[in-house]
Amino acid sequence: MVGSSRWINCCAWWGSEASSTMRIFLFMVPLLVLAGFASIKGSSVYNGRDSIAKRYALSSSLITRSNFSSQTFLPPPNSSLQTIYPSSNSSLQTLHQSNETEVNVSIPKSNSAPANESDESHPREKQKRKPSFLDRTEVVLAQARATIREAKNWNLTQDSDYVPIGPMYWNAKEFHRSYLEMEKQFKVFVYEEGELPVFHDGPCSSIYSTEGSFIHAIEMNEHFRTRDPKKANVFFLPFSIAWMVRYVYIRNSYDFGPIKRTVRDYVNVIATRYPYWNRSLGADHFMLSCHDWGPETSKSIPYLRKNSIRVLCNANTSEGFDPIKDASFPEINLQPGLKDSFVGGPPASKRSILAFFAGGNHGPIRPILLEHWENKDEDIQVHKYLPKGVSYYGMLRNSKFCLCPSGYEVASPRVVEAIYTGCVPVLISEHYVPPFSDVLNWKMFSVNVSVKEIPNLKDILTSISPRQYIRMQKRVGQIRRHFEVHSPPKRYDVFHMILHSVWLRRLNFRVHDDINDFLSGNN
């Protein structure tokens, strides 16, 4: 009865008019509790989905390295590799950035565990996997990065061949240490697929000669080339754009289709037979071309242009050349037996011509140069065609400054011709990244003149004092070794400088085998 009485009293109280406010309060409390609980659970679910979304957003732009059908290496056009390249102009300087580029292309496996299963990982899953060849490679490269960073605090390392010293280098100590580390660690795997002459061959006696020269040199090299792809730091695509233009391109058709299909088919082959292209979407692969159409050909495959290291003579930033990812190398008009006959030249006191140029009237810059200076001034010798009996190389050797205007494209063999003959190069171009400019400070041994300054060319050159010119000419002689071609190659020559440019760019990112390591921060 006591219980019944209490229940009756409680009901009476509930029905009373005075307790209306309290009734509302008691009715809302359970709702507030339920809403709070739902909010907590909802937040938890949302965060979990958000995490999965982030993982998918990262991996959806990447290609699994376990599927190698003929189409697997071609991602959707709107997808992109997650890369963060440092903004420094010098690849050596990028080594001082705290974060190198991260490259990862493995898609994580979906989690099929029940929703109510414990979040605790299985003890076996906590065990670290055995380091792979790639892991060990990245450890070695990380050590090289650290060594190069510290080089500025060391005394100069003795070298029997050459010790780089002087303002021609952005940082001579770092360059020297980087070069020595390259000699110790750098390994290149050359794909053997492909048939002559388009693959494994190239011109060796024309303005595109560095294509054939490099391909031959790297394939014959026993020091840098490795036959084991697991030990490679980079992978070389041994095709020649110059030979494709000669053997694949239909003359005067202006159709790049046959060339692009050749490159696309080649990458399809190596992506099918090997895991390495898909592993990094081509980021640790490089192509080399001295032909004007090198940049256009690289567009055959989106990731060849966007991710791969492109070593190009046509280093034009207005056409997508990225000096952090891509490497500029010199255009050399190599003729058999010619180099040794004109390398070197008289001192400044015996050079009677202020400036010299002779060449075809093509491209947007040369017509302006010829209009202002052809047959206008004895000190500025500008010719479309040299007078009969006048030696081109003799004019180079007797000139203080050699004018190097761009033609149809930014690169010109006159830059190296000037360096060979001890003539200070005058670069007249737009959007051009000079060769090896991540190591060489071109302002110390060359003159840069913009197109709009062509009318003031004589005033600009005569404003350089004799003392300053002598220093510049001396520096030209000191850096000449980096542009010389030798067979077999010699240390610090153009072959090794091209390799060093690729080496620097490979140091600026890391390739990961497993996306789970990447996401968890186990770098």
Side-chain angles (χ1 to χ4, degrees):
M1 292 298 296
V2 176
S4 299
S5 176
R6 288 179 179 177
W7 173 254
I8 293 171
N9 291 337
C10 180
C11 291
W13 171 81
W14 181 264
S16 67
E17 182 176 350
S19 62
S20 60
T21 302
M22 185 60 68
R23 278 182 290 168
I24 295 174
F25 173 77
L26 292 176
F27 179 78
M28 292 297 296
V29 166
L31 293 179
L32 291 173
V33 172
L34 289 174
F37 179 75
S39 175
I40 294 173
K41 292 293 291 181
S43 176
S44 176
V45 172
Y46 175 81
N47 289 336
R49 289 179 178 176
D50 186 57
S51 176
I52 293 172
K54 289 179 180 178
R55 290 168 64 94
Y56 179 75
L58 177 64
S59 63
S60 63
S61 66
L62 309 175
I63 297 177
T64 176
R65 58 190 178 92
S66 61
N67 297 324
F68 301 116
S69 67
S70 61
Q71 298 301 323
T72 56
F73 77 96
L74 292 173
N78 60 348
S79 61
S80 61
L81 187 67
Q82 302 291 327
T83 56
I84 305 174
Y85 285 100
S87 59
S88 170
N89 291 329
S90 168
S91 289
L92 269 175
Q93 293 173 4
T94 62
L95 298 179
H96 295 286
Q97 303 294 330
S98 59
N99 295 319
E100 292 82 7
T101 301
E102 307 289 354
V103 179
N104 185 296
V105 296
S106 301
I107 296 178
K109 297 179 180 179
S110 61
N111 185 4
S112 59
N116 59 352
E117 188 173 339
S118 173
D119 291 336
E120 288 294 328
S121 300
H122 194 278
R124 293 181 181 178
E125 294 178 356
K126 291 185 177 181
Q127 296 178 1
K128 291 187 177 180
R129 61 181 176 83
K130 183 179 179 180
S132 65
F133 277 99
L134 181 58
D135 295 330
R136 291 191 285 270
T137 295
E138 292 300 332
V139 168
V140 170
L141 294 178
Q143 293 171 344
R145 282 192 287 266
T147 301
I148 295 168
R149 288 191 190 103
E150 295 299 321
K152 63 181 180 180
N153 301 322
W154 299 350
N155 294 326
L156 285 171
T157 305
Q158 295 303 311
D159 196 320
S160 58
D161 286 339
Y162 180 67
V163 177
I165 299 175
M168 310 85 67
Y169 302 99
W170 291 109
N171 191 313
K173 290 182 179 180
E174 286 189 354
F175 164 55
H176 194 204
R177 175 50 55 186
S178 177
Y179 185 92
L180 297 178
E181 289 294 320
M182 176 192 74
E183 288 186 321
K184 288 194 301 182
Q185 312 292 356
F186 199 37
K187 295 299 178 184
V188 180
F189 180 78
V190 182
Y191 288 108
E192 296 184 353
E193 286 70 18
E195 306 254 344
L196 294 170
V198 172
F199 302 93
H200 310 284
D201 194 13
C204 291
S205 58
S206 71
I207 61 173
Y208 309 129
S209 62
T210 38
E211 273 192 26
S213 175
F214 181 86
I215 292 173
H216 175 74
I218 190 62
E219 294 202 335
M220 298 297 294
N221 191 277
E222 297 295 332
H223 181 83
F224 292 104
R225 183 179 182 182
T226 177
R227 304 281 179 171
D228 184 353
K230 292 181 180 179
K231 296 180 181 179
N233 306 122
V234 295
F235 299 80
F236 178 51
L237 306 170
F239 51 73
S240 169
I241 305 301
W243 270 181
M244 287 186 192
V245 173
R246 179 172 177 177
Y247 294 106
V248 178
Y249 173 71
I250 301 174
R251 191 171 184 179
N252 297 325
S253 69
Y254 303 102
D255 180 13
F256 287 97
I259 295 177
K260 289 186 174 182
R261 283 193 294 271
T262 301
V263 174
R264 191 179 301 117
D265 290 345
Y266 187 76
V267 176
N268 262 322
V269 169
I270 65 169
T272 302
R273 294 183 179 178
Y274 305 90
Y276 307 107
W277 174 273
N278 282 350
R279 183 181 67 184
S280 68
L281 285 181
D284 54 359
H285 288 58
F286 77 98
M287 59 166 284
L288 177 139
S289 174
C290 207
H291 197 278
D292 293 351
W293 293 354
E296 182 66 26
T297 302
S298 71
K299 297 178 183 178
S300 307
I301 298 169
Y303 286 109
L304 180 60
R305 177 181 62 84
K306 293 169 63 177
N307 294 341
S308 298
I309 301 167
R310 300 180 303 164
V311 185
L312 304 172
C313 287
N314 187 13
N316 188 339
T317 57
S318 69
E319 296 179 0
F321 181 88
D322 180 355
I324 301 300
K325 180 185 74 69
D326 303 322
S328 173
F329 79 116
E331 188 172 286
I332 303 175
N333 189 4
L334 191 62
Q335 301 298 328
L338 182 62
K339 179 180 73 69
D340 293 335
S341 65
F342 76 93
V343 168
S349 60
K350 295 185 179 181
R351 293 177 179 257
S352 58
I353 302 170
L354 177 63
F356 166 70
F357 167 78
N361 186 18
H362 58 79
I365 296 177
R366 294 183 185 182
I368 300 173
L369 178 65
L370 290 165
E371 177 187 354
H372 282 90
W373 295 105
E374 186 178 23
N375 300 321
K376 301 289 178 64
D377 193 307
E378 291 185 358
D379 292 331
I380 308 289
Q381 293 285 323
V382 174
H383 305 275
K384 188 186 303 181
Y385 304 104
L386 275 176
K388 190 175 180 179
V390 176
S391 168
Y392 175 75
Y393 294 106
M395 293 291 288
L396 292 173
R397 293 167 63 88
N398 287 314
S399 300
K400 291 182 171 68
F401 297 95
C402 291
L403 308 181
C404 308
S406 295
Y408 287 122
E409 299 295 345
V410 293
S412 170
R414 286 165 182 79
V415 176
V416 175
E417 291 171 346
I419 292 172
Y420 279 0
T421 55
C423 184
V424 174
V426 179
L427 308 182
I428 308 176
S429 60
E430 298 288 344
H431 313 294
Y432 180 46
V433 178
F436 314 136
S437 54
D438 43 9
V439 169
L440 298 176
N441 183 356
W442 280 77
K443 292 182 180 180
M444 296 293 104
F445 58 89
S446 69
V447 179
N448 190 66
V449 175
S450 66
V451 175
K452 65 181 181 181
E453 293 175 319
I454 288 177
N456 304 322
L457 187 58
K458 186 172 183 179
D459 292 338
I460 292 172
L461 298 181
T462 54
S463 67
I464 298 174
S465 68
R467 183 176 180 180
Q468 183 181 0
Y469 173 78
I470 291 172
R471 286 199 298 264
M472 294 177 73
Q473 191 207 27
K474 181 180 179 181
R475 293 165 186 164
V476 168
Q478 289 174 303
I479 57 93
R480 187 180 67 207
R481 68 172 60 241
H482 302 316
F483 295 85
E484 292 181 356
V485 180
H486 299 284
S487 184
K490 296 181 180 179
R491 298 179 73 213
Y492 298 99
D493 69 358
V494 69
F495 169 75
H496 288 88
M497 291 298 290
I498 292 172
L499 278 182
H500 184 260
S501 295
V502 178
W503 158 255
L504 283 181
R505 282 147 184 83
R506 179 61 180 88
L507 286 176
N508 281 334
F509 65 87
R510 287 178 284 180
V511 180
H512 290 266
D513 249 340
D514 191 342
I515 197 169
N516 294 310
D517 287 347
F518 177 73
L519 291 171
S520 63
N522 296 327
N523 298 330

